[in-house]
Amino acid sequence: MTASQRRFAFWGLVPILIWVFVFVLFPIFWVILLSLFSYTPIREGGWFLGLGGNNPFVGLGNYVELFTGSTKAARIFRQAIGNTFLFSLLAVPLSVGTALPVAIALESVHERVKSSFRLIYFLPVITGSVAVTIIWQYVYAPNWGLLSQLMKTIGLTPPRSWLSDPTQVYFGIPLAMLAVTIVYVWVTFGYNTLLFIAALQGVPAVFREAARIDGANSWQEFWHIVIPLLRRTILLASVLTVISTLQQFVLFQLLTRGGPAYQTQTILLSVYQNAFVYSENMGMAAAMSIFLFIILFVLTIIQFRLLRTEWEY
């Protein structure tokens, strides 16, 4: 490599390195550092980015407070951890589990209408989250909402409120959480459907034909041929959906704002509220975000180990 080529490579990389440092590395460093201080922007701190002084260094104090403290923010956060995992536990199987049968059904329709069906199922994905929540606010509106009217039409009594009644609990799950989960599955399963459609098109037809020759019925073909060959796609869809559920913010913020009675409060909502709404302790909000990152990292590793395959086709 000549000197001019090295200079060209160097100056070509400089903007990228600056962008990575300013928008990736520095925010990570800042969040980690902030989690070690009792920091709020309304107090005047030290000379270095406002840290120190009236924003004292507390070490791991924020983390200890989150899991053992008795403050309102800590108690709500511990409840938010359970709510977040409950939401993920409900949404991931529903989103992935509904996407695969739909993908198989779409692959069996005529070629002329296949593209139209794919577009219909993918529309919620490309629709803005705010627009989606506004639509579902009308669906979930008490008394006059679409869902309530539908229940009245078939002779059922709708709940007093789908999103704001803390007494509505079914099988230990708040109705508000179930309502948000349904919205999330409606929004996301179209993306997983396209993933499975792409994977199904890559499955060699010879395997399925061999199963039919051996006398396998449709269910045996699906369970013993299709599912094993789609393990990597199921892994990808599961990982992406888990990450999405743990980072879900817009649906909860616009539909329930964490209510009723914090039944739909999530980790990300707690981070947002402590950092930007109450501004009581951004250091604690930073500790919450670090905890969320650790959860995402660990769960992703576990899923890759459980669902990885050692073969190609």
Side-chain angles (χ1 to χ4, degrees), residues 63-113:
Y63 297 93
V64 174
E65 173 64 24
L66 286 179
F67 296 102
T68 63
S70 59
T71 61
K72 181 179 179 180
R75 287 185 282 106
I76 293 175
F77 176 74
R78 290 194 289 271
Q79 183 177 349
I81 295 175
N83 293 338
T84 304
F85 279 107
L86 175 61
F87 174 65
S88 184
L89 186 63
L90 293 171
V92 173
L94 286 174
S95 181
V96 177
T98 55
L100 182 54
V102 170
I104 294 174
L106 289 179
E107 280 300 286
S108 64
V109 302
H110 197 278
E111 289 292 334
R112 292 183 178 179
V113 296

Side-chain angles (χ1 to χ4, degrees), residues 4 35 66 103 107 117 121 130 136 144 161 171 177 213 252 287:
S4 61
S35 69
L66 286 179
E107 280 300 286
F117 277 109
Y121 282 107
V130 175
W136 280 91
W144 58 268
S161 175
F171 304 103
M177 180 64 75
I213 293 174
F252 286 100

Side-chain angles (χ1 to χ4, degrees), residues 156-213:
L156 298 177
T157 303
R160 289 176 297 178
S161 175
W162 294 93
L163 299 172
S164 59
D165 187 357
T167 64
Q168 297 291 327
V169 179
Y170 300 92
F171 304 103
I173 304 172
L175 178 60
M177 180 64 75
L178 290 172
V180 177
T181 301
I182 291 172
V183 178
Y184 175 83
V185 172
W186 183 80
V187 170
T188 60
F189 96 101
Y191 181 82
N192 290 331
T193 299
L194 285 189
L195 289 180
F196 287 127
I197 288 175
L200 287 169
Q201 292 175 346
V203 173
V206 63
F207 294 147
R208 305 179 71 168
E209 292 172 356
R212 296 191 194 102
I213 293 174

Side-chain angles (χ1 to χ4, degrees), residues 41-308:
I42 63 177
R43 293 196 301 255
E44 183 177 355
W47 62 271
F48 180 71
L49 299 176
L51 301 177
N54 294 324
N55 295 315
F57 176 80
V58 295
L60 298 178
N62 286 324
Y63 297 93
V64 174
E65 173 64 24
L66 286 179
F67 296 102
T68 63
S70 59
T71 61
K72 181 179 179 180
R75 287 185 282 106
I76 293 175
F77 176 74
R78 290 194 289 271
Q79 183 177 349
I81 295 175
N83 293 338
T84 304
F85 279 107
L86 175 61
F87 174 65
S88 184
L89 186 63
L90 293 171
V92 173
L94 286 174
S95 181
V96 177
T98 55
L100 182 54
V102 170
I104 294 174
L106 289 179
E107 280 300 286
S108 64
V109 302
H110 197 278
E111 289 292 334
R112 292 183 178 179
V113 296
K114 188 177 292 185
S115 299
S116 299
F117 277 109
R118 290 177 184 173
L119 176 62
I120 291 171
Y121 282 107
F122 195 71
L123 273 177
V125 180
I126 60 178
T127 305
S129 298
V130 175
V132 167
T133 53
I134 292 175
I135 293 171
W136 280 91
Q137 281 175 346
Y138 283 101
V139 173
Y140 285 139
N143 297 322
W144 58 268
L146 178 62
L147 191 54
S148 295
Q149 291 295 330
L150 180 61
M151 292 185 67
K152 291 178 181 178
T153 301
I154 60 178
L156 298 177
T157 303
R160 289 176 297 178
S161 175
W162 294 93
L163 299 172
S164 59
D165 187 357
T167 64
Q168 297 291 327
V169 179
Y170 300 92
F171 304 103
I173 304 172
L175 178 60
M177 180 64 75
L178 290 172
V180 177
T181 301
I182 291 172
V183 178
Y184 175 83
V185 172
W186 183 80
V187 170
T188 60
F189 96 101
Y191 181 82
N192 290 331
T193 299
L194 285 189
L195 289 180
F196 287 127
I197 288 175
L200 287 169
Q201 292 175 346
V203 173
V206 63
F207 294 147
R208 305 179 71 168
E209 292 172 356
R212 296 191 194 102
I213 293 174
D214 290 339
N217 56 36
S218 299
W219 172 252
Q220 290 171 330
E221 178 187 333
F222 171 77
W223 188 254
H224 296 289
I225 302 297
V226 175
I227 291 295
L229 293 178
L230 292 183
R231 285 188 66 186
R232 290 188 174 181
T233 307
I234 294 173
L235 164 65
L236 176 62
S238 299
V239 170
L240 293 178
T241 308
V242 167
I243 293 174
S244 174
T245 56
L246 295 181
Q247 294 181 322
Q248 190 56 231
F249 172 77
V250 175
L251 296 182
F252 286 100
Q253 173 66 10
L254 296 182
L255 287 174
T256 65
R257 297 186 183 274
Y262 302 107
Q263 289 179 340
T264 59
Q265 181 81 6
T266 62
I267 296 176
L268 206 55
L269 268 179
S270 292
V271 173
Y272 166 75
Q273 290 172 356
N274 281 276
F276 304 111
V277 178
Y278 309 129
S279 296
E280 294 176 350
N281 193 342
M282 292 189 71
M284 186 173 292
M288 295 176 184
S289 63
I290 295 295
F291 175 74
L292 178 59
F293 167 77
I294 294 173
I295 291 176
L296 291 170
F297 182 75
V298 171
L299 287 179
T300 301
I301 291 177
I302 292 174
Q303 287 183 301
F304 270 104
R305 289 188 176 275
L306 289 177
L307 296 176
R308 66 182 178 183

